[in-house]
Amino acid sequence: MKSKKSDSKIDNIRHSLAHLLAMAVLEMDNKTKLAIGPTIENGFYYDFQFSDGFKLTKEDLPKLEKKIKHYIKQNIEFKHFEMSSYDAREKFKNEPYKLELIDKIIECGEKLSFYQSGDFIDLCAGEHITSTKEIDQNAFKLTSIAGAYWRGDEKNKMLTRIYGVAFENKAKLDEYMKMQEEAEKRDHRKLGKELELFTFSDEVGAGLPLWLPKGTIIRNELEKWAKETEKKFGYQHIVTPHITKKKLYEISGHLPYFKEDLYSPIDIEGEEYYLKPMNCPHTHMIYKSKTRSYRELPLRFAEYGSVYRFERSGTLHGLMRTRGFCQNDAHIYVQPEKTVEEFINVLKMHKYYYDILGIKDWRITLGVRNKENINDKYHGDNEMWEKAEELTKLALDKSEIKYVIEEGGAAHYGPKADIVIKSAIGKEYAIGTDQLDLYMPKRFNLIYIDKDGKEKMPYIIHRAPLGSHERMVGFLIEHFAGAFPLWLSPVQVKILPIADAHKDYAKEIFEKLEENNIRAELNDENETLSKKIRQGKIEKVPYMLIIGDKEIAEKKITVESRDKKDFGSQNIETFIEKLKKDIANRTL
Ligand SMILES: [Zn+2]
Ligand SMILES: [Zn+2]
């Protein structure tokens, strides 16, 4: 069953495999009730309600695969036909989910379309392959089994979803599986635990990461870098509190329009206060704290600001989706005539950051209004919107960054440029949004005194090139597979004395590194050298220094590097100079 027409042969293969999967499940439990079985990226799934007492686990998936392979070999044909609503209801009288779908299709005035493969008939809009001989039986795999609510609604019954992947040929499947394996190895939740970067606690709550000392070093290094960069680009730093009186969100329109993103208010001396879901309104109050002159503009206020947004527990995902996060935020108040130039500067900043981090592939989706449906979803008048969309496009065109336009993707108060970055293994994450906002200045009555002495309204650019600490660090863990470049590594150098006699010299080296602000650790435990090296490799430490008799005699160190070949024997001063240079340049 699928509501959307397929558009390619591989889609038809995936879709047909979903039907074959349903056939295989029915063969094992003929009382299973069928829900839906659509195609998804790289594959397909089917949702089932098994009969009482019947269970399937991941270990059973090969059994199902075997049955599907057996069908494929039989060259089963897929035949399309239609049925009257009476016949359809009769045929599916024991299939409650299909009956619900049939009713819905009839309600929409559409035809009831079916596909038959062997004895199996499914309600289905198509399309399909003509016969199973079009499927390469070595190019599909059932990958996982999970719970899923009927129609994705947690008020409904929990069904069992079986996922599969399928490709044109085995080589493509193998490539995909290899990539998946690599992605699993790099999973930030797994590495975050192994490398002791962050943790979660039941007592604190889901979606609320606790940053461990090593993870905090990465956060702090990113923040230091962002603040240095912002200073160079003419930003000033501010700090605002995590809560606010209700009044502020009545002005911004978060109340009542975005109440579902907010946590319930807290009562402070009889007054309602909210946790902030974004930093903008607080920052606007800083703008408003005095009369602004055109001479001050563009005024760029930056803050690594903590925000809290309501997320359903089912959508939380490690550091990637949390209930509280700290944003690399800034708001630029700019004269209308300087907006494009300023927006281009913001885009330059993106490029600089991503170049340093070795993020080669990133793109922008520009969300504009849905032209056919300009209704009260969008605040502000038509003229304002056209202006904002035109200026944003102009800035993007001039900066020569590739972008696609997405109709209907705008925020309620303006067009937004969503930035998606791609990790070294091709996993994509939306990292942040830049927005040109002509609406909030009106709501907050923001003004500046222009050259001619008249009061004018500035435009606002909201920007967050490094997204949030949570998402950025999560991304970087996967991007670097935990092997951070020197400047971001929580421990930059480990010193490994071979035996007791070498500990004093090792300590001397350790102190020299510390004096030079290099994060060093001395492993003077009574273990073998190979064990110490192994441990350092697990921790993905960039450099290990081996200290033994030879090193002491020559007053040198032996350097073992994580990424390159051995540096061999070195003078400690030369080594420190090299490290300091790489840290300062944030070398990859
Ligand atoms: Zn179908
Ligand atoms: Zn903002």
Side-chain angles (χ1 to χ4, degrees):
M1 158 72 206
K2 196 184 175 223
S3 56
K4 203 181 77 200
K5 292 255 182 222
S6 317
D7 46 12
S8 71
K9 188 178 170 195
I10 186 63
D11 255 356
N12 290 345
I13 286 175
R14 286 170 182 154
H15 187 183
S16 302
L17 277 161
H19 283 224
L20 300 182
L21 168 61
M23 286 169 69
V25 169
L26 284 172
E27 210 185 291
M28 290 174 82
D29 171 35
N30 62 12
K31 299 244 164 44
T32 284
K33 307 289 179 215
L34 303 174
I36 56 164
T39 56
I40 47 173
E41 199 186 359
N42 301 314
F44 57 92
Y45 68 76
Y46 213 113
D47 285 350
F48 305 99
Q49 184 196 320
F50 299 140
S51 65
D52 289 343
F54 181 74
K55 258 183 92 172
L56 277 181
T57 64
K58 201 163 189 241
E59 282 65 49
D60 298 311
L61 296 181
K63 254 186 267 173
L64 287 168
E65 280 174 6
K66 214 174 142 193
K67 288 186 191 300
I68 294 170
K69 280 183 186 172
H70 181 67
Y71 303 143
I72 293 172
K73 277 185 222 145
Q74 289 173 4
N75 292 343
I76 296 175
E77 282 179 31
F78 278 82
K79 292 181 209 134
H80 178 236
F81 62 95
E82 282 168 6
M83 248 195 262
S84 70
S85 57
Y86 178 85
D87 290 344
R89 284 196 179 108
E90 182 57 28
K91 162 88 187 121
F92 289 96
K93 64 180 181 226
N94 295 321
E95 292 282 0
Y97 304 105
K98 295 294 180 195
L99 281 178
E100 209 180 307
L101 296 167
I102 288 169
D103 286 345
K104 196 134 194 250
I105 294 168
I106 293 167
E107 216 180 280
C108 297
E110 282 165 29
K111 285 195 169 139
L112 291 167
S113 159
F114 299 84
Y115 274 85
Q116 179 160 11
S117 46
D119 294 335
F120 176 72
I121 296 175
D122 203 354
L123 173 68
C124 173
E127 294 175 9
H128 279 282
I129 49 176
T130 49
S131 147
T132 55
K133 68 176 170 228
E134 291 176 47
I135 306 174
D136 179 343
Q137 59 155 325
N138 296 314
F140 87 95
K141 197 166 177 48
L142 298 178
T143 47
S144 63
I145 190 159
Y149 294 105
W150 168 236
R151 291 186 171 280
D153 187 339
E154 52 210 89
K155 282 184 224 108
N156 290 337
K157 202 172 172 70
M158 172 79 91
L159 306 173
T160 303
R161 176 172 296 177
I162 300 177
Y163 286 98
V165 292
F167 296 88
E168 289 90 344
N169 52 52
K170 188 172 183 299
K172 281 193 180 172
L173 174 69
D174 289 347
E175 192 190 328
Y176 171 84
M177 295 307 288
K178 220 177 118 198
M179 204 59 130
Q180 283 306 106
E181 206 181 295
E182 187 58 36
E184 258 167 53
K185 262 192 250 161
R186 289 174 181 238
D187 190 315
H188 76 279
R189 293 166 299 180
K190 180 176 162 281
L191 283 175
K193 196 172 176 184
E194 285 169 14
L195 300 173
E196 297 184 11
L197 302 178
F198 62 91
T199 187
F200 287 93
S201 142
D202 269 350
E203 287 76 5
V204 173
L208 299 167
L210 299 167
W211 291 85
L212 301 173
K214 286 181 177 169
T216 305
I217 289 173
I218 299 172
R219 257 179 87 117
N220 287 347
E221 284 295 338
L222 285 171
E223 199 161 324
K224 194 172 117 200
W225 180 40
K227 286 182 171 161
E228 273 171 24
T229 309
E230 282 158 357
K231 225 173 140 219
K232 277 185 207 150
F233 276 75
Y235 288 69
Q236 304 176 68
H237 291 103
I238 56 164
V239 177
T240 64
H242 294 208
I243 60 172
T244 176
K245 263 159 72 172
K246 186 180 179 184
K247 178 91 188 125
L248 189 67
Y249 291 155
E250 284 168 352
I251 299 172
S252 68
H254 281 92
L255 290 169
Y257 302 113
F258 290 88
K259 210 171 186 317
E260 67 273 18
D261 293 338
L262 303 178
Y263 290 103
S264 308
I266 18 173
D267 178 283
I268 301 179
E269 295 178 336
E271 186 107 43
E272 279 182 25
Y273 283 75
Y274 282 88
L275 269 170
K276 65 176 172 183
M278 41 176 56
N279 303 301
C280 344
H282 281 84
T283 313
H284 302 336
M285 299 321 288
I286 291 185
Y287 182 90
K288 270 177 85 101
S289 65
K290 64 181 252 201
T291 310
R292 303 290 178 181
S293 150
Y294 73 93
R295 282 188 215 95
E296 291 175 79
L297 305 191
L299 196 52
R300 308 174 185 95
F301 287 140
E303 174 184 24
Y304 251 106
S306 293
V307 298
Y308 300 87
R309 292 182 195 166
F310 175 69
E311 298 283 357
R312 287 168 187 279
S313 50
T315 64
L316 299 173
H317 179 81
L319 291 180
M320 292 309 186
R321 194 172 286 276
T322 57
R323 285 181 167 158
F325 50 94
C326 188
Q327 268 183 317
N328 167 236
D329 215 353
H331 294 87
I332 303 168
Y333 303 85
V334 59
Q335 299 100 305
E337 64 273 20
K338 293 202 177 156
T339 303
V340 172
E341 187 190 326
E342 190 60 26
F343 207 105
I344 291 171
N345 282 335
V346 168
L347 294 167
K348 271 186 196 152
M349 212 170 184
H350 280 273
K351 188 174 172 348
Y352 163 72
Y353 281 134
Y354 305 154
D355 280 351
I356 292 281
L357 293 170
I359 300 167
K360 294 193 184 80
D361 210 345
W362 57 284
R363 60 189 167 82
I364 290 182
T365 304
L366 176 60
V368 297
R369 283 173 307 170
N370 186 342
K371 295 273 174 352
E372 277 137 46
N373 189 21
I374 296 174
N375 51 26
D376 44 22
K377 187 188 155 198
Y378 305 112
H379 301 306
D381 56 44
N382 201 37
E383 193 193 338
M384 177 206 97
W385 272 91
E386 274 172 9
K387 186 101 224 157
E389 290 180 0
E390 182 203 314
L391 291 175
T392 312
K393 278 182 204 162
L394 197 59
L396 283 165
D397 287 338
K398 281 198 174 179
S399 67
E400 292 179 354
I401 288 167
K402 56 179 173 178
Y403 70 100
V404 290
I405 290 178
E406 187 192 40
E407 279 207 22
H412 68 293
Y413 55 91
K416 67 182 172 85
D418 287 321
I419 293 96
V420 175
I421 54 178
K422 211 183 230 185
S423 80
I425 56 158
K427 220 167 157 190
E428 288 192 327
Y429 289 103
I431 195 67
T433 297
D434 294 338
Q435 264 169 281
L436 175 59
D437 175 4
L438 278 55
Y439 179 67
M440 285 299 160
K442 272 191 204 146
R443 277 197 88 108
F444 277 85
N445 192 26
L446 304 181
I447 49 160
Y448 66 95
I449 311 295
D450 206 0
K451 275 192 197 97
D452 55 11
K454 289 198 177 121
E455 288 189 350
K456 293 198 180 145
M457 198 192 77
Y459 291 170
I460 302 171
I461 298 170
H462 307 243
R463 48 110 275 184
L466 293 173
S468 69
H469 274 322
E470 283 68 18
R471 200 168 264 213
M472 193 41 134
V473 174
F475 172 87
L476 292 177
I477 293 171
E478 298 186 359
H479 181 59
F480 293 121
F484 293 99
L486 184 68
W487 71 280
L488 276 176
S489 287
V491 177
Q492 294 166 319
V493 182
K494 267 203 153 188
I495 303 148
L496 316 179
I498 296 172
D500 271 352
H502 312 124
K503 282 182 183 171
D504 284 346
Y505 183 62
K507 192 149 187 281
E508 215 178 282
I509 298 289
F510 169 74
E511 279 162 5
K512 262 195 191 137
L513 289 163
E514 289 252 288
E515 275 163 30
N516 284 280
N517 292 317
I518 290 161
R519 293 185 290 270
E521 249 180 39
L522 174 62
N523 185 352
D524 57 3
E525 282 166 45
N526 291 323
E527 287 160 356
T528 61
L529 179 64
S530 63
K531 199 169 172 201
K532 286 180 186 178
I533 291 178
R534 213 157 47 234
Q535 187 55 32
K537 279 189 176 156
I538 290 169
E539 291 167 23
K540 300 180 194 276
V541 176
Y543 296 104
M544 287 185 266
L545 308 185
I546 296 156
I547 311 288
D549 288 339
K550 183 172 144 271
E551 285 76 15
I552 293 174
E554 292 173 3
K555 286 261 162 226
K556 289 200 166 170
I557 48 168
T558 297
V559 183
E560 177 133 348
S561 125
R562 178 191 65 196
D563 306 315
K564 290 140 225 151
K565 289 209 164 72
D566 290 2
F567 275 50
S569 179
Q570 278 223 359
N571 179 319
I572 182 70
E573 279 76 24
T574 320
F575 178 67
I576 287 176
E577 281 321 303
K578 181 196 153 35
L579 259 50
K580 280 169 82 171
K581 208 173 120 211
D582 284 349
I583 292 168
N585 294 333
R586 300 191 165 88
T587 307
L588 277 176

